[in-house]
Amino acid sequence: MRGIALLGATGSIGDSTLAIMALHPDRYRLQVAAARRNVARMLEICRQFRPPLAVLTEPAAAAQLAAALGRDGPTRVLAGSEALKQVVCAPEVDLVVAGIVGAAGLESSLAAAGAGKTLALANKEALVMAGGLFMEAVRQGGATLIPIDSETNAMFQCLPAYRCGEPAAERGVRRLLLTASGGPFLRVSAAQMANATPQQACAHPRWVMGRKISVDSATLMNKGLEVIESAWLFNLPATAIEVVVHPQSVVHSLVEYNDGSVLAQLATADMRVPIAHALAWPQRQASGATMLDLVSIGQLDFEAPDRTRFPCLDLAYQALAGGGTASTVLNAANEVAVDAFLNGRLAFGRIADIVRGTLDTLPSEPADSLDRVLAADAAARRLAGARVNA
């Protein structure tokens, strides 16, 4: 029986994780459920799984949840981000599923890494913002890091007995191939994309995801963030990481070796597959996902990404090359721009402009402390916000 802390319990990663836990009640115990403010969904989770601790980072929402659960129930409710950092370090927690979206998940993920937990990481922004600090926390804390993004998890599966952070080149790896579905605008002209609505941008053809990550998929920024994430996870330079558009989303990524062998991980487009792998690693278990039927799929297509229509991909490579806080700035500017788009304050076609302008204006600083990373994040948010409102 493994104790699980589920961060981002009310989102899509949370839903998939809870579905797997429900399939294997003899293997997992929900010790901590954490989210931002979704009281209704958290109430359902607490009543079904009865975790000893629940955390909502917004105090008003935490108070509502506590009142709804009452004083005599099995779940104690805590509030705030400091509480979140504390509960992931609890001795009852063996494995932390880091599913909080964006920069908000950085500090709790760092705390889990420093406490030596097994960390199933969906929050790629933690590595994008502070990759050096994060991997050092993993090393110093003796944590086990397993990515659960479908693409980075696929590459992890193609590297037997690998521990994240080791130089993959020493395992004979020549190149990583990250697959991208192409999102909802793969065959749409730049002119049509410029004025796309949030509803159109969030209508992903293969995956059911949250709104922010859906927009990132539509701009291909999500793939750019995964390039940066992969560089840290597998200790490889940007030149060894390529993106390939694969509309069927069956091959989730590939690893090319020096001898010419290419290993690929294939599965249906269902986040329960990589999450089930991470929870059971190094063993395997049922995920509840539909098994892959290659005959019915018929063919698998691959093509190069259109970097003119999807400039966010090159912006991510630019930030990775810049080093230091450049990728912190990239992530912060993108979060501000995407939020503005989703709230009707920015055209879809201007998301890349906001990110580019912010990245080009703010110089990269050494990302050698959490304070510096958070300062760069705040400065980028201010500048990107001003550009949105200009």
Side-chain angles (χ1 to χ4, degrees), residues 7-34:
L7 314 185
T10 61
S12 60
I13 295 295
D15 287 344
S16 295
T17 303
L18 292 169
I20 294 163
M21 292 177 67
L23 275 180
H24 304 282
D26 57 328
R27 294 188 181 185
Y28 306 110
R29 167 88 164 99
L30 186 62
Q31 292 289 344
V32 178

Side-chain angles (χ1 to χ4, degrees), residues 57 146 208 248 315:
T57 55
I146 305 171
V208 177
Q248 290 88 359
L315 292 175

Side-chain angles (χ1 to χ4, degrees), residues 103 106-107 129 325 328 369-380:
L106 171 61
E107 293 189 66
M129 290 180 66
T325 58
T328 311
S369 72
L370 183 58
D371 286 344
R372 279 200 169 188
V373 168
L374 295 178
D377 178 81

Side-chain angles (χ1 to χ4, degrees), residues 58-367:
E58 291 198 0
Q64 291 178 39
L65 179 63
L69 288 171
R71 295 183 179 180
D72 300 326
T75 303
R76 184 162 64 101
V77 180
L78 304 176
S81 56
E82 287 300 316
L84 190 60
K85 289 189 287 184
Q86 292 170 12
V87 296
V88 298
C89 301
E92 298 82 8
V93 172
D94 303 302
L95 186 149
V96 177
V97 178
I100 296 175
V101 175
L106 171 61
E107 293 189 66
S108 55
S109 296
L110 270 173
K117 304 298 183 181
T118 296
L119 182 58
L121 185 69
N123 175 247
K124 65 176 70 68
E125 290 86 357
L127 283 166
V128 172
M129 290 180 66
L133 292 174
F134 194 91
M135 296 309 296
E136 183 61 23
V138 169
R139 285 188 289 270
Q140 292 292 331
T144 298
L145 179 59
I146 305 171
I148 55 176
D149 266 339
S150 61
E151 294 81 6
T152 49
N153 178 265
M155 293 185 290
F156 182 81
Q157 291 194 47
C158 293
L159 282 157
Y162 177 77
R163 291 187 68 87
C164 288
E166 296 175 355
E170 293 180 2
R171 298 295 189 95
V173 172
R174 178 178 178 272
R175 186 172 54 149
L176 303 178
L177 295 167
L178 274 166
T179 56
S181 69
F185 302 142
L186 178 60
R187 308 297 179 206
V188 175
S189 70
Q192 290 173 298
M193 288 167 59
N195 296 308
T197 66
Q199 182 179 5
Q200 291 169 329
C202 292
H204 196 282
R206 297 290 176 183
W207 297 94
V208 177
M209 305 181 292
R211 283 162 62 79
K212 193 268 181 183
I213 193 172
S214 294
V215 176
D216 284 349
S217 180
T219 64
L220 285 197
M221 177 61 87
N222 191 49
K223 210 52 49 180
L225 298 179
E226 287 171 8
V227 168
I228 299 171
E229 178 188 22
S230 298
W232 288 109
L233 286 173
F234 304 108
N235 202 347
L236 286 170
T239 52
I241 306 170
E242 295 185 22
V243 173
V244 178
V245 174
H246 168 51
Q248 290 88 359
S249 295
V250 171
V251 178
H252 295 294
S253 276
L254 311 94
V255 175
E256 181 183 77
Y257 289 86
N258 290 330
D259 62 4
S261 298
V262 178
L263 301 187
Q265 187 265 344
L266 287 71
T268 53
D270 189 324
M271 280 305 298
R272 288 177 294 178
V273 175
I275 293 171
H277 170 263
L279 293 186
W281 185 88
Q283 300 175 348
R284 297 276 179 169
Q285 65 183 359
S287 67
T290 302
M291 292 299 172
L292 188 63
D293 183 351
L294 287 174
V295 173
S296 66
I297 293 167
Q299 70 180 50
L300 302 175
D301 300 308
F302 301 91
E303 61 188 86
D306 185 333
R307 294 172 181 266
T308 301
R309 285 191 301 126
F310 298 100
C312 285
L313 184 56
D314 280 341
L315 292 175
Y317 276 101
Q318 176 187 333
L320 182 57
T325 58
S327 57
T328 311
V329 170
L330 173 92
N331 180 72
N334 181 64
E335 287 191 14
V336 169
V338 170
D339 180 73
F341 166 68
L342 287 171
N343 287 287
R345 298 185 294 111
L346 186 73
F348 181 86
R350 288 198 61 217
I351 292 175
D353 295 336
I354 297 297
V355 176
R356 182 185 296 105
T358 307
L359 190 60
D360 289 346
T361 301
L362 292 178
S364 177
E365 303 283 348

